[in-house]
Amino acid sequence: MTKTRLLAALIMAPVAIAAILLLSTPWIVALAAVIFLAGLWEWFELAEIEDTLARTVLLVAHLALMVAIVWASRSVGGYSYFLFKLASVIGVVWWFFALLWLRNYTFASNHETWARFFKLAAGALAVLPAWCALAWLHSGEPRSPGNGNNGHIWLFTALAIVWAADSAAYFAGRHYGGMLFKDRKLAPRVSPNKTYEGLIGGMVGGVLVGVCGSLLAGATGAQLPLVALVALVAVLASVIGDLYESLLKRHAGVKDSGHLIPGHGGILDRIDGVLAALPVFAVGKAMFGF
């Protein structure tokens, strides 16, 4: 399984990096919409929306919201990113509530009640803000002193933080899990395999990659501590995103959100941490002005 997982990553990573660095913002936003909506389709399945027509209508409704945001953001001088920024802030707030949801494992676990409503709302609050944050980062807005117009590199840095944290956590958990904290697990009821050692490894890996990426994007030496702080919070957010998707899968009684990617499961299995980290990184970057 590890070889299959690694091979799939070696194929996907260059394609993703090339798209981020070479495509213009409208194209990367359109491509991201396709990927995020595919993940949302799997989210509907985890919420046990069994009717294909119902899932299709819901997906079209979310696509219409994306189109509406882009259309409403047009201006004489190009695009105003106010709605994208507002959605990103809403996303940060949502993931705070998701953390509280994780503390109450049984909330919305019975799909015979209003559970589907809550999970569908959660899907919108996870996917749309992440997509907006991606567009905001890639566009290079705001163009504060020190960041030039390196939105492509900043988006790559934000995603690389999540990828590095995920990989570092995986290998740290496998090799050092149980050594520091014995048999204590990070979230045993939601994701029994996650360890505190893995969390620490992910934090270290994510912050290091975030700092290195920020230097490529034009961050100054004085800004590096702030970059490290935002990267750290983004890593923690990605863990919340990963755990929340695990919660959905536990409620649905499935191992993976799908089987599209060999060794990795579904699209949602690959972007769960990204959904949470992107709004956090985008808002943190804007707050500290790097």
Side-chain angles (χ1 to χ4, degrees), residues 73-234:
S73 299
R74 296 180 305 168
S75 65
V76 177
Y79 279 92
S80 166
Y81 282 86
F82 172 77
L83 292 178
F84 292 87
K85 298 173 186 179
L86 177 61
S88 299
V89 172
I90 292 173
V92 173
V93 174
W94 149 246
W95 286 109
F96 171 78
F97 284 102
L99 178 60
L100 299 180
W101 190 331
L102 287 172
R103 293 178 60 86
N104 188 358
Y105 175 85
T106 59
F107 178 75
S109 60
N110 184 0
H111 292 165
E112 299 302 320
T113 63
W114 284 87
R116 289 188 180 90
F117 170 80
F118 288 113
K119 289 178 179 178
L120 290 177
L125 291 170
V127 171
L128 291 176
W131 176 75
C132 288
L134 180 145
W136 179 14
L137 284 168
H138 196 270
S139 71
E141 293 286 336
R143 294 180 176 85
S144 57
N147 81 337
N149 190 21
N150 294 327
H152 300 63
I153 301 178
W154 279 117
L155 175 59
F156 170 70
T157 299
L159 294 174
I161 287 170
V162 180
W163 299 336
D166 184 57
S167 298
Y170 177 77
F171 287 105
R174 281 180 60 91
H175 293 285
Y176 303 106
M179 292 182 61
L180 298 177
F181 296 90
K182 297 183 179 180
D183 294 327
R184 291 184 61 188
K185 300 293 185 178
L186 182 62
R189 197 171 185 184
V190 177
S191 186
N193 293 327
K194 284 186 170 53
T195 64
Y196 282 99
E197 291 84 359
L199 174 63
I200 293 173
M203 291 164 60
V204 172
V207 170
L208 287 176
V209 168
V211 169
C212 293
S214 70
L215 290 173
L216 293 175
T220 64
Q223 292 172 329
L224 292 185
L226 296 175
V227 172
L229 175 61
V230 173
L232 176 61
V233 178

Side-chain angles (χ1 to χ4, degrees), residues 1-10:
M1 180 63 71
T2 301
K3 290 182 179 179
T4 303
R5 183 185 180 98
L6 181 59
L7 180 61
L10 289 175

